[in-house]
Amino acid sequence: MTRILQIILSLLALQAFAAHADWEQETQPTTPAVSEAATELAATISELPDPLFISESDRRRVDRLLAGTLRQIDRDIQSFKSALSRYHTNSDKANWLEVQNQQLTLVSLSQSKQTLLKLSSTDLFNKLTGFGPRGVTQFKTELKLAQLNTEYLILLQIQSFKAFLRDLTISPVPILAAFFKLLLVYLLLNWWLKHSKNIIRQLTQSPTQGMSPPWWARLLWYIGSANRPIAWLIAITLSLRILSSLPSLQHLIFLEIIIWWILGGSIIIKFMLEFAYRNSRNTNKPITALRLSTIRYYVWSVIVTGVILQLAQRSIGQGTIYHWITNLVFFWFIFITILVIHKWKSHVFSANHEQLDTPIWITWAINNKNHLVLSTFATALMMFWLVTRSAKQYVIANLSQYAFFSQALAYLFRIEVAKQTNNHGANNNLVRIKRDEVYQYILPGREDSELIDYPATELKQLSQYLLSDNPSMCVVSGERGIGTTTLLKQLHYKVKNATAIYISCPNGGYCELIPQLATELGLDSDASEIQILSHLRKSEICYFIAIDNAQRLVKPRVGGLGDLIKFTNLMRRSKKNHRCVLAIEKSSWRFVDRARGERLLFDHVVFLPRWSEAQIAELLASRINTDIEKPVTFEGLVVPKQWDQDEITEEERARIGFFRILWHYADGNPTVALRFFRLSLRRDKTTNDVVVRLFNAPTNEDLEKMPKPMLAILRSVVQLEVSSPEELSECTQLTIAEVIGTLRYFESRGYIEWTDDKARISDHWYRYITNALHRQHLLVK
């Protein structure tokens, strides 16, 4: 009985011991944690002041903490190595937990070391990150740590793969869900790769030919050039995110760093090549190949550098190895730059570039391009000069699209031309060509003259109203000489579904316009308004009536719109699909607009814009008579050289520069530009050549200081186009004696000229007078 009790007590003791052992195993930590020493060090570092406010005592404390951290890292590296060795001998959970604890501790210590390096003194920082003895020692330590971390990561992936297989045997549902997500991603990827080109091509097609594409179309150009690497980048990133959502494969997310650097670099290369293709003026194959190789050298160097630095930072922090790599990268890019410079040398020093007007330091570079020591520096100088020159041309070309900048540039250009002309002195052998002889060299406008593409947009708008089968009444408004007559005649020739009638409104206004209209309609010249109205109502023919100089129906006074309203009422009462268009000068239209307000008088009003510099230049060039023995030449005209005119001849540069001056002075008015172009012709008495020289623009300071009543008369002359003293008296509320005296004053200075006892602003002073009235806020140009 006693023996049985002893056996029972022994079994109970063994069971209690086993239960205690199981309790001890359950109470042991199973989650990896950082050591207490590393945690205390991180807490101490967090209490340090900001680098901007750190004192000398704090700096010394940082140096002591850094020295202690380095010693602690050395000890923990040995512990980490021992833990890995024990795990290789016995791969149980306890040993693996110790390995994880050591790895996390070293990560924490590396982060502390990185922070302390930034706060340490410059001398200590340079010693620990430089190439001296202490730097080499730290390099070896970090290299040993990197090797141990690599070994740990391999073991971690093995553990993760085992866990993956274990989870797969327990429940395959999450893995199957991830598989179907991956399948969906790659089906979408395959569809996009097959159809992306067609989709992008359809989206980027411009609906209107000749117009600049919108910003989103330009963005799609770049996306289309790199759509394959972008698609792969998105697909691989989504795949890694899906796989890393599985508990046993969460470490795959670190591959995203390498994928983003590699594919991101490929996308940047595609973007840069697309930008260079669309903005480069040189598209031959050797230059394209050089450009591609240069971009690849730099971009792939940045990619490799970025991947190495990212891995180094995540593995061992920004320590000695990190700064060594940074320094080596600097020297690597110097080497790459020298290599690229030598590749571009033959193109940089091509014959076309050497013949350009170069500054002294570029001439030195050309002379030393083959020097053994200085050739690289000389090539770099030449490349820098060519790049800055191209950048200036690009900026000027883009800013020149804005009227304000072009006007300012032309003004400065004109001043410089006048200055250089004065410095070179006047040629006494040159005499001005006068009277009708100038038309032998600068042809007048004729029906068969070359038609300039102006104004395309306004002509299209008017055509929608006037070339349809619906009744309409439109107005074309523009400055005198801007091209309204030409526009009306273009519409006159384009009409196919109506009988076109063109009438220039006589100076007498409505009472003289009605007989002309009756004659054009096939009636007697003395037909009344009722007869004209009856004919328009009963006519089976649809009429298109274009009235030029319709400002003669408008008087800038109370009740001055009577003639215009009579004519518009006559056309509206015809009750047929007749169309009518009136050309009214802008100065008179402002009066109509203010008098009528918001009351509808016309179906559509079009304002003709000023001519651009290119349009003025095209017009002036088309009027030069090249069929005569000695046509107009620009030789000897002194003009300053501009950034965008290095590759043209001197005469071509002079021609472009002079046309720019004419465009600026005329303010986009082709009639004014043609007049002063003819005034610029000179004949050389010795050679009988006809040359162009800078014209003398009219100017008079008295006009700016003129009393307001005199300026009011001048404005009325501009608005009425041709006016009698009686009409001016009615418009200005001045007496006939005051008006006649003022007109005689204007005539003596050449401001006006007389036609059939009516005053008219002279062509020579027209631009100066309108500018003066505009500055006085008396006229809107």
Side-chain angles (χ1 to χ4, degrees):
M1 190 68 180
T2 305
R3 176 68 63 180
I4 293 173
L5 289 174
Q6 288 179 351
I7 292 172
I8 292 173
L9 289 174
S10 299
L11 290 173
L12 290 174
L14 287 173
Q15 186 176 1
F17 178 77
H20 179 71
D22 290 339
W23 177 82
E24 284 186 345
Q25 186 175 359
E26 289 178 0
T27 55
Q28 287 180 356
T30 59
T31 303
V34 181
S35 66
E36 294 183 3
T39 304
E40 292 176 359
L41 178 62
T44 304
I45 292 173
S46 64
E47 296 174 357
L48 292 173
D50 194 80
L52 293 175
F53 305 101
I54 196 167
S55 62
E56 286 298 324
S57 59
D58 292 329
R59 190 85 66 185
R60 289 191 295 269
R61 183 187 177 193
V62 166
D63 293 347
R64 290 193 299 271
L65 286 173
L66 182 56
T69 303
L70 296 178
R71 290 192 297 270
Q72 185 64 38
I73 289 175
D74 291 336
R75 289 192 295 269
D76 282 328
I77 286 176
Q78 295 300 323
S79 301
F80 190 24
K81 184 177 181 181
S82 301
L84 286 170
S85 299
R86 286 193 295 272
Y87 180 77
H88 285 302
T89 304
N90 182 14
S91 56
D92 59 359
K93 292 184 179 180
N95 288 332
W96 176 244
L97 181 62
E98 185 182 358
V99 169
Q100 288 181 305
N101 290 338
Q102 290 297 330
Q103 197 271 339
L104 287 178
T105 301
L106 283 170
V107 168
S108 176
L109 290 173
S110 297
Q111 292 174 351
S112 300
K113 171 188 171 183
Q114 177 179 325
T115 305
L116 291 171
L117 274 174
K118 295 177 181 179
L119 298 174
S120 64
S121 61
T122 306
D123 182 58
L124 182 59
F125 178 85
N126 293 332
K127 287 180 180 179
L128 294 175
T129 60
F131 296 92
R134 297 188 66 179
V136 172
T137 302
Q138 286 301 311
F139 175 81
K140 292 179 179 179
T141 302
E142 292 181 3
L143 184 61
K144 187 184 298 183
L145 177 59
Q147 292 173 349
L148 295 175
N149 280 332
T150 304
E151 184 178 354
Y152 166 76
L153 288 175
I154 294 172
L155 295 174
L156 179 63
Q157 294 306 317
I158 295 173
Q159 292 287 339
S160 299
F161 185 72
K162 290 179 179 178
F164 173 74
L165 294 177
R166 186 169 56 252
D167 294 341
L168 182 62
T169 57
I170 297 172
S171 176
V173 174
I175 298 171
L176 290 175
F179 172 77
F180 284 116
K181 290 179 182 178
L182 291 176
L183 183 62
L184 178 62
V185 168
Y186 283 96
L187 285 175
L188 292 173
L189 173 65
N190 186 47
W191 178 86
W192 173 254
L193 294 178
K194 286 183 178 180
H195 301 89
S196 59
K197 290 185 178 180
N198 293 331
I199 294 174
I200 294 173
R201 188 184 301 113
Q202 292 175 1
L203 291 174
T204 55
Q205 282 180 349
S206 178
T208 305
Q209 295 295 329
M211 293 185 65
S212 178
W215 64 268
W216 56 266
R218 296 176 183 271
L219 180 62
L220 284 177
W221 286 346
Y222 293 97
I223 295 176
S225 66
N227 75 89
R228 295 184 70 86
I230 290 175
W232 277 106
L233 178 62
I234 295 173
I236 295 175
T237 302
L238 290 175
S239 301
L240 290 175
R241 296 286 175 89
I242 293 170
L243 291 174
S244 62
S245 63
L246 298 173
S248 53
L249 298 179
Q250 69 269 23
H251 303 293
L252 291 178
I253 197 65
F254 293 106
L255 293 176
E256 189 176 326
I257 299 171
I258 301 175
I259 298 300
W260 270 84
W261 273 101
I262 295 175
L263 290 179
S266 178
I267 293 169
I268 291 173
I269 290 176
K270 297 285 187 180
F271 283 171
M272 295 178 71
L273 289 177
E274 183 70 15
F275 178 82
Y277 169 75
R278 296 191 176 275
N279 295 277
S280 176
R281 294 181 294 179
N282 197 336
T283 57
N284 56 26
K285 290 184 178 180
I287 300 303
T288 304
L290 268 177
R291 187 187 300 131
L292 176 60
S293 64
T294 301
I295 292 173
R296 283 178 173 171
Y297 276 141
Y298 281 103
V299 174
W300 285 115
S301 296
V302 170
I303 291 170
V304 174
T305 302
V307 170
I308 294 174
L309 290 177
Q310 283 278 350
L311 294 177
Q313 183 178 2
R314 286 182 174 271
S315 176
I316 53 178
Q318 295 183 8
T320 303
I321 292 180
Y322 184 90
H323 288 91
W324 275 29
I325 294 173
T326 305
N327 293 329
L328 291 175
V329 164
F330 174 75
F331 292 107
W332 170 254
F333 275 101
I334 291 177
F335 170 74
I336 290 294
T337 302
I338 295 173
L339 182 63
V340 168
I341 287 173
H342 280 280
K343 277 181 168 289
W344 283 89
K345 181 179 178 181
S346 59
H347 172 69
V348 166
F349 289 108
S350 62
N352 292 334
H353 293 157
E354 291 183 359
Q355 291 173 1
L356 299 174
D357 292 336
T358 57
I360 297 175
W361 51 285
I362 295 300
T363 304
W364 174 89
I366 294 173
N367 294 333
N368 291 275
K369 62 181 180 180
N370 295 321
H371 194 278
L372 182 62
V373 179
L374 301 175
S375 61
T376 302
F377 181 68
T379 308
L381 279 180
M382 189 69 176
M383 290 177 68
F384 173 77
W385 180 71
L386 290 174
V387 169
T388 54
R389 173 177 167 273
S390 299
K392 290 175 183 177
Q393 292 178 357
Y394 179 79
V395 171
I396 292 296
N398 281 275
L399 290 178
S400 296
Q401 298 176 4
Y402 301 96
F404 174 78
F405 183 82
S406 296
Q407 292 280 2
L409 191 66
Y411 174 73
L412 297 174
F413 186 76
R414 180 182 168 195
I415 292 175
E416 185 64 23
V417 170
K419 186 187 301 182
Q420 293 189 17
T421 302
N422 292 332
N423 293 337
H424 284 76
N427 190 344
N428 296 325
N429 291 328
L430 298 180
V431 294
R432 181 181 166 189
I433 301 176
K434 299 181 180 180
R435 299 193 179 125
D436 295 338
E437 189 180 358
V438 295
Y439 293 101
Q440 298 177 11
Y441 301 97
I442 309 297
L443 299 173
R446 298 190 299 265
E447 293 292 332
D448 59 344
S449 297
E450 180 181 344
L451 193 62
I452 309 301
D453 186 18
Y454 171 90
T457 305
E458 288 73 15
L459 184 61
K460 184 177 179 180
Q461 293 176 2
L462 288 171
S463 299
Q464 294 176 353
Y465 289 89
L466 300 173
L467 301 185
S468 66
D469 294 326
N470 299 320
S472 60
M473 185 175 294
C474 301
V475 167
V476 179
S477 182
E479 191 181 33
R480 166 179 155 185
I482 202 71
T484 51
T485 300
T486 304
L487 178 62
L488 291 185
K489 290 186 176 180
Q490 284 182 262
L491 291 169
H492 180 272
Y493 293 138
K494 291 179 69 174
V495 173
K496 303 298 181 184
N497 56 353
T499 299
I501 296 175
Y502 171 83
I503 300 174
S504 178
C505 184
N507 295 335
Y510 183 76
C511 60
E512 295 182 7
L513 175 63
I514 290 299
Q516 288 193 21
L517 178 60
T519 303
E520 293 290 339
L521 292 173
L523 304 175
D524 294 334
S525 60
D526 57 351
S528 64
E529 294 181 24
I530 297 177
Q531 291 174 320
I532 294 174
L533 180 61
S534 177
H535 175 79
L536 290 174
R537 285 182 174 181
K538 296 178 180 179
S539 175
E540 298 294 332
I541 302 173
C542 183
Y543 289 101
F544 169 81
I545 302 173
I547 307 297
D548 200 2
N549 298 312
Q551 67 274 359
R552 296 167 185 172
L553 300 175
V554 179
K555 300 292 185 291
R557 56 180 172 81
V558 177
L561 299 182
D563 288 354
L564 181 64
I565 293 175
K566 286 180 184 178
F567 182 78
T568 56
N569 289 338
L570 175 65
M571 297 306 301
R572 293 188 186 281
R573 289 164 59 194
S574 63
K575 297 181 180 180
K576 288 283 185 177
N577 292 342
H578 305 302
R579 281 96 70 190
C580 181
V581 57
L582 292 85
I584 302 177
E585 279 194 18
K586 195 172 183 180
S587 57
S588 297
W589 174 253
R590 295 287 295 180
F591 175 75
V592 177
D593 188 40
R594 290 178 179 178
R596 294 292 300 179
E598 296 181 355
R599 289 173 291 176
L600 180 64
L601 190 60
F602 299 100
D603 299 315
H604 189 62
V605 180
V606 167
F607 296 98
L608 297 185
R610 296 184 177 94
W611 288 44
S612 66
E613 181 182 348
Q615 291 170 334
I616 291 287
E618 185 181 357
L619 173 67
L620 298 177
S622 68
R623 295 296 179 86
I624 298 176
N625 189 0
T626 57
D627 297 331
I628 58 178
E629 182 180 356
K630 290 188 175 183
V632 173
T633 177
F634 292 85
E635 290 184 2
L637 181 64
V638 181
V639 295
K641 185 174 294 185
Q642 299 188 69
W643 289 330
D644 55 346
Q645 298 177 355
D646 289 328
E647 300 174 359
I648 58 178
T649 62
E650 291 293 333
E651 184 174 0
E652 183 70 12
R653 181 183 298 117
R655 184 180 66 84
I656 294 174
F658 188 73
F659 286 168
R660 175 171 289 175
I661 292 173
L662 286 172
W663 165 76
H664 169 257
Y665 178 76
D667 197 14
N669 190 307
T671 304
V672 176
L674 278 169
R675 173 175 178 79
F676 282 91
F677 188 22
R678 295 187 177 103
L679 290 176
S680 304
L681 300 186
R682 303 289 187 271
R683 174 179 282 109
D684 194 325
K685 293 185 292 185
T686 58
T687 62
N688 209 31
D689 291 335
V690 177
V691 297
V692 176
R693 291 296 180 266
L694 186 64
F695 59 88
N696 294 319
T699 180
N700 193 333
E701 294 182 359
D702 294 339
L703 194 61
E704 303 287 346
K705 303 175 182 178
M706 196 175 289
K708 295 299 182 183
M710 297 179 70
L711 290 174
I713 294 175
L714 200 59
R715 179 184 65 176
S716 297
V717 176
V718 173
Q719 292 175 329
L720 292 170
E721 186 196 2
V722 288
S723 53
S724 65
E726 291 77 15
E727 291 173 331
L728 292 173
S729 177
E730 292 178 0
C731 294
T732 60
Q733 300 297 309
L734 298 173
T735 64
I736 290 290
E738 290 175 317
V739 171
I740 292 175
T742 303
L743 291 177
R744 291 185 64 183
Y745 176 84
F746 292 159
E747 183 183 9
S748 66
R749 283 154 178 78
Y751 298 162
I752 63 172
E753 53 191 19
W754 291 92
T755 304
D756 298 331
D757 296 329
K758 290 194 174 184
R760 181 177 184 271
I761 299 293
S762 67
D763 293 334
H764 188 70
W765 283 91
Y766 176 76
R767 174 51 68 222
Y768 185 82
I769 288 173
T770 54
N771 286 340
L773 293 174
H774 181 72
R775 288 192 294 269
Q776 297 282 345
H777 304 288
L778 296 175
L779 188 72
V780 177
K781 293 196 298 182

